Amino acid sequence: MAYVGGSLTSLFGQKPQAATKLAARDMAAKGADRMHEVAAQNTPVKTGRLRTGWYQLPVTKTHYLIAPAFRSGIANDYKYAPFVEYGTGLFGPRHRAYVITPKKAPFLAWRDPVTGQWIRARKVLHPGSPGNHMVAIAAAVVEAETDAGPLMQVILDRWAREVEASAD
């Protein structure tokens, strides 16, 4: 959806250029806002801290090739957010199971969910957990909604009205 090319000022003059910049900034903010919403919806909830830890990054001006552009996004400051996003162990970046050992007790203990019996071990080889890919899902949703039109339609309609009004 990005426009790559020269300035549109020669076609529309200076006033629409301001409208275009405002529209691009608003679209970056709206995309990040939608990403925040979708990432939070797809974040698993144990305590709720990770889900409420998402925040929107401020919109900043940058350049895409030679054209000015605006960018924003989402972030989460919890240390375990990347592990929930990408997965651990066999599912994580290293694709290896890992050993869990007790920190204070002489052994690990848990109740078998099938038999109900207590199981004790000095260490276990954990296969890891698959990632939830909250950010990847959010990015895909925003991209699909942007390409299909409904997410940015209000901003684009406002931009079109402003450009048409200034052409008169």
PDB file of all heavy atoms in Angstrom, residues 1 9 15 20 25 27 31-32 53 63 70 73 97 111 127 134:
ATOM      1  N   MET A   1       0.806  -1.186   0.000  1.00  0.00           N
ATOM      2  CA  MET A   1       0.000   0.000   0.000  1.00  0.00           C
ATOM      3  C   MET A   1       0.855   1.258   0.000  1.00  0.00           C
ATOM      4  O   MET A   1       0.362   2.325  -0.242  1.00  0.00           O
ATOM      5  CB  MET A   1      -0.909  -0.003   1.218  1.00  0.00           C
ATOM      6  CG  MET A   1      -1.763   1.219   1.299  1.00  0.00           C
ATOM      7  SD  MET A   1      -3.244   0.887   2.173  1.00  0.00           S
ATOM      8  CE  MET A   1      -3.937   2.484   2.172  1.00  0.00           C
ATOM      9  N   THR A   9       3.360  17.125  -4.701  1.00  0.00           N
ATOM     10  CA  THR A   9       3.131  18.559  -4.616  1.00  0.00           C
ATOM     11  C   THR A   9       2.878  19.181  -5.982  1.00  0.00           C
ATOM     12  O   THR A   9       2.049  20.077  -6.122  1.00  0.00           O
ATOM     13  CB  THR A   9       4.338  19.248  -3.953  1.00  0.00           C
ATOM     14  OG1 THR A   9       4.580  18.595  -2.715  1.00  0.00           O
ATOM     15  CG2 THR A   9       4.071  20.701  -3.686  1.00  0.00           C
ATOM     16  N   LYS A  15      -0.847  22.809  -0.018  1.00  0.00           N
ATOM     17  CA  LYS A  15      -1.874  22.496   0.975  1.00  0.00           C
ATOM     18  C   LYS A  15      -2.193  20.998   1.041  1.00  0.00           C
ATOM     19  O   LYS A  15      -2.240  20.428   2.117  1.00  0.00           O
ATOM     20  CB  LYS A  15      -3.131  23.325   0.704  1.00  0.00           C
ATOM     21  CG  LYS A  15      -4.110  23.338   1.844  1.00  0.00           C
ATOM     22  CD  LYS A  15      -5.237  24.314   1.575  1.00  0.00           C
ATOM     23  CE  LYS A  15      -6.202  24.373   2.725  1.00  0.00           C
ATOM     24  NZ  LYS A  15      -7.328  25.244   2.453  1.00  0.00           N
ATOM     25  N   THR A  20      -1.747  15.169   3.123  1.00  0.00           N
ATOM     26  CA  THR A  20      -1.164  13.847   2.898  1.00  0.00           C
ATOM     27  C   THR A  20      -0.316  13.427   4.090  1.00  0.00           C
ATOM     28  O   THR A  20      -0.382  12.286   4.547  1.00  0.00           O
ATOM     29  CB  THR A  20      -0.331  13.842   1.605  1.00  0.00           C
ATOM     30  OG1 THR A  20      -1.186  14.206   0.526  1.00  0.00           O
ATOM     31  CG2 THR A  20       0.264  12.478   1.334  1.00  0.00           C
ATOM     32  N   ARG A  25       0.331  10.111   8.887  1.00  0.00           N
ATOM     33  CA  ARG A  25       0.558  10.029  10.340  1.00  0.00           C
ATOM     34  C   ARG A  25      -0.622   9.352  11.035  1.00  0.00           C
ATOM     35  O   ARG A  25      -0.440   8.485  11.888  1.00  0.00           O
ATOM     36  CB  ARG A  25       0.793  11.433  10.889  1.00  0.00           C
ATOM     37  CG  ARG A  25       1.085  11.476  12.365  1.00  0.00           C
ATOM     38  CD  ARG A  25       1.405  12.905  12.802  1.00  0.00           C
ATOM     39  NE  ARG A  25       1.576  13.000  14.219  1.00  0.00           N
ATOM     40  CZ  ARG A  25       2.652  12.594  14.875  1.00  0.00           C
ATOM     41  NH1 ARG A  25       3.653  12.063  14.226  1.00  0.00           N
ATOM     42  NH2 ARG A  25       2.726  12.711  16.180  1.00  0.00           N
ATOM     43  N   MET A  27      -2.729   7.248   9.723  1.00  0.00           N
ATOM     44  CA  MET A  27      -2.777   5.825   9.366  1.00  0.00           C
ATOM     45  C   MET A  27      -1.761   5.021  10.176  1.00  0.00           C
ATOM     46  O   MET A  27      -2.052   3.904  10.601  1.00  0.00           O
ATOM     47  CB  MET A  27      -2.552   5.641   7.867  1.00  0.00           C
ATOM     48  CG  MET A  27      -3.758   6.042   7.041  1.00  0.00           C
ATOM     49  SD  MET A  27      -3.662   5.576   5.309  1.00  0.00           S
ATOM     50  CE  MET A  27      -2.486   6.733   4.692  1.00  0.00           C
ATOM     51  N   GLY A  31      -3.020   2.105  12.611  1.00  0.00           N
ATOM     52  CA  GLY A  31      -2.496   0.753  12.452  1.00  0.00           C
ATOM     53  C   GLY A  31      -1.897   0.222  13.744  1.00  0.00           C
ATOM     54  O   GLY A  31      -2.127  -0.921  14.131  1.00  0.00           O
ATOM     55  N   ALA A  32      -1.131   1.063  14.441  1.00  0.00           N
ATOM     56  CA  ALA A  32      -0.537   0.644  15.715  1.00  0.00           C
ATOM     57  C   ALA A  32      -1.607   0.426  16.780  1.00  0.00           C
ATOM     58  O   ALA A  32      -1.513  -0.498  17.589  1.00  0.00           O
ATOM     59  CB  ALA A  32       0.474   1.677  16.193  1.00  0.00           C
ATOM     60  N   GLY A  53       0.285  -5.392  29.557  1.00  0.00           N
ATOM     61  CA  GLY A  53       1.601  -4.777  29.382  1.00  0.00           C
ATOM     62  C   GLY A  53       1.862  -4.233  27.992  1.00  0.00           C
ATOM     63  O   GLY A  53       2.882  -3.562  27.770  1.00  0.00           O
ATOM     64  N   HIS A  63      12.037   7.601   6.840  1.00  0.00           N
ATOM     65  CA  HIS A  63      12.068   7.590   5.377  1.00  0.00           C
ATOM     66  C   HIS A  63      11.976   6.157   4.880  1.00  0.00           C
ATOM     67  O   HIS A  63      12.560   5.254   5.472  1.00  0.00           O
ATOM     68  CB  HIS A  63      13.345   8.241   4.850  1.00  0.00           C
ATOM     69  CG  HIS A  63      13.275   9.727   4.875  1.00  0.00           C
ATOM     70  ND1 HIS A  63      13.541  10.449   6.001  1.00  0.00           N
ATOM     71  CD2 HIS A  63      12.929  10.618   3.914  1.00  0.00           C
ATOM     72  CE1 HIS A  63      13.388  11.730   5.731  1.00  0.00           C
ATOM     73  NE2 HIS A  63      13.012  11.862   4.479  1.00  0.00           N
ATOM     74  N   PHE A  70       5.866   7.568   7.988  1.00  0.00           N
ATOM     75  CA  PHE A  70       5.622   7.569   9.432  1.00  0.00           C
ATOM     76  C   PHE A  70       5.564   6.126   9.897  1.00  0.00           C
ATOM     77  O   PHE A  70       5.123   5.245   9.170  1.00  0.00           O
ATOM     78  CB  PHE A  70       4.312   8.287   9.757  1.00  0.00           C
ATOM     79  CG  PHE A  70       4.378   9.759   9.495  1.00  0.00           C
ATOM     80  CD1 PHE A  70       3.968  10.280   8.281  1.00  0.00           C
ATOM     81  CD2 PHE A  70       4.859  10.628  10.452  1.00  0.00           C
ATOM     82  CE1 PHE A  70       4.036  11.637   8.021  1.00  0.00           C
ATOM     83  CE2 PHE A  70       4.934  11.982  10.209  1.00  0.00           C
ATOM     84  CZ  PHE A  70       4.520  12.488   8.992  1.00  0.00           C
ATOM     85  N   GLY A  73       4.147   1.285  16.260  1.00  0.00           N
ATOM     86  CA  GLY A  73       4.102  -0.142  16.541  1.00  0.00           C
ATOM     87  C   GLY A  73       3.660  -0.378  17.965  1.00  0.00           C
ATOM     88  O   GLY A  73       3.105   0.516  18.610  1.00  0.00           O
ATOM     89  N   ALA A  97      15.232 -29.107  23.530  1.00  0.00           N
ATOM     90  CA  ALA A  97      14.615 -29.285  24.843  1.00  0.00           C
ATOM     91  C   ALA A  97      15.610 -28.781  25.889  1.00  0.00           C
ATOM     92  O   ALA A  97      16.802 -28.667  25.631  1.00  0.00           O
ATOM     93  CB  ALA A  97      14.278 -30.748  25.071  1.00  0.00           C
ATOM     94  N   ARG A 111       1.769 -33.490  40.464  1.00  0.00           N
ATOM     95  CA  ARG A 111       0.734 -34.525  40.444  1.00  0.00           C
ATOM     96  C   ARG A 111       0.435 -34.895  39.002  1.00  0.00           C
ATOM     97  O   ARG A 111       0.189 -34.033  38.171  1.00  0.00           O
ATOM     98  CB  ARG A 111      -0.526 -34.022  41.133  1.00  0.00           C
ATOM     99  CG  ARG A 111      -1.513 -35.119  41.472  1.00  0.00           C
ATOM    100  CD  ARG A 111      -2.729 -34.598  42.223  1.00  0.00           C
ATOM    101  NE  ARG A 111      -2.443 -34.203  43.571  1.00  0.00           N
ATOM    102  CZ  ARG A 111      -2.456 -35.022  44.637  1.00  0.00           C
ATOM    103  NH1 ARG A 111      -2.722 -36.295  44.456  1.00  0.00           N
ATOM    104  NH2 ARG A 111      -2.215 -34.576  45.833  1.00  0.00           N
ATOM    105  N   PRO A 127      10.294 -30.325  26.896  1.00  0.00           N
ATOM    106  CA  PRO A 127      10.319 -30.080  25.450  1.00  0.00           C
ATOM    107  C   PRO A 127      10.090 -28.619  25.071  1.00  0.00           C
ATOM    108  O   PRO A 127      10.391 -28.208  23.963  1.00  0.00           O
ATOM    109  CB  PRO A 127       9.185 -30.955  24.919  1.00  0.00           C
ATOM    110  CG  PRO A 127       8.242 -31.061  26.062  1.00  0.00           C
ATOM    111  CD  PRO A 127       9.107 -31.062  27.305  1.00  0.00           C
ATOM    112  N   MET A 134       1.498 -13.501  19.165  1.00  0.00           N
ATOM    113  CA  MET A 134       0.519 -12.414  19.268  1.00  0.00           C
ATOM    114  C   MET A 134       0.840 -11.256  18.325  1.00  0.00           C
ATOM    115  O   MET A 134      -0.046 -10.725  17.658  1.00  0.00           O
ATOM    116  CB  MET A 134       0.479 -11.857  20.706  1.00  0.00           C
ATOM    117  CG  MET A 134       0.173 -12.868  21.781  1.00  0.00           C
ATOM    118  SD  MET A 134       1.631 -13.726  22.411  1.00  0.00           S
ATOM    119  CE  MET A 134       2.643 -12.483  23.118  1.00  0.00           C
TER     120      MET A 134
END
